[in-house]
Amino acid sequence: PRVYQVKKADKGESYKKKLSWLLRELRTVDGKSTNKETAEFDLHFEKIFKWSASSVAEKESFLSTLWKVH
């Protein structure tokens, strides 16, 4: 499995693949503070990439899926 970073196109509702990594390259997931709900999290590959989900629930769903697939 791969993890893709996508970027929203300047025009319209389309997205473009920006970067990709094999899931086995994922070293650490930082879900941020447990005291404060946030949609932001970090994925550590060869360097740290900051990510943001549309909502806290979406973030939790994404991280749960990563955990199950990994």
Side-chain angles (χ1 to χ4, degrees):
R2 289 188 166 273
V3 176
Y4 289 94
Q5 181 184 45
V6 296
K7 180 180 179 182
K8 191 170 184 176
D10 293 333
K11 300 175 185 175
E13 294 294 319
S14 62
Y15 292 86
K16 181 178 178 180
K17 291 178 186 175
K18 188 173 175 186
L19 297 171
S20 71
W21 305 268
L22 292 172
L23 188 55
R24 67 174 171 252
E25 295 177 275
L26 180 60
R27 297 177 185 162
T28 306
V29 175
D30 181 357
K32 302 292 182 172
S33 174
T34 57
N35 298 330
K36 177 184 159 194
E37 286 192 352
T38 178
E40 296 176 356
F41 58 99
D42 295 340
L43 297 180
H44 299 229
F45 291 100
E46 72 279 0
K47 64 180 188 176
I48 299 170
F49 292 88
K50 297 188 180 301
W51 296 63
S52 182
S54 298
S55 67
V56 173
E58 185 179 281
K59 173 185 107 174
E60 291 172 359
S61 176
F62 176 76
L63 295 180
S64 176
T65 301
L66 273 181
W67 178 257
K68 289 176 187 175
V69 173
H70 193 269

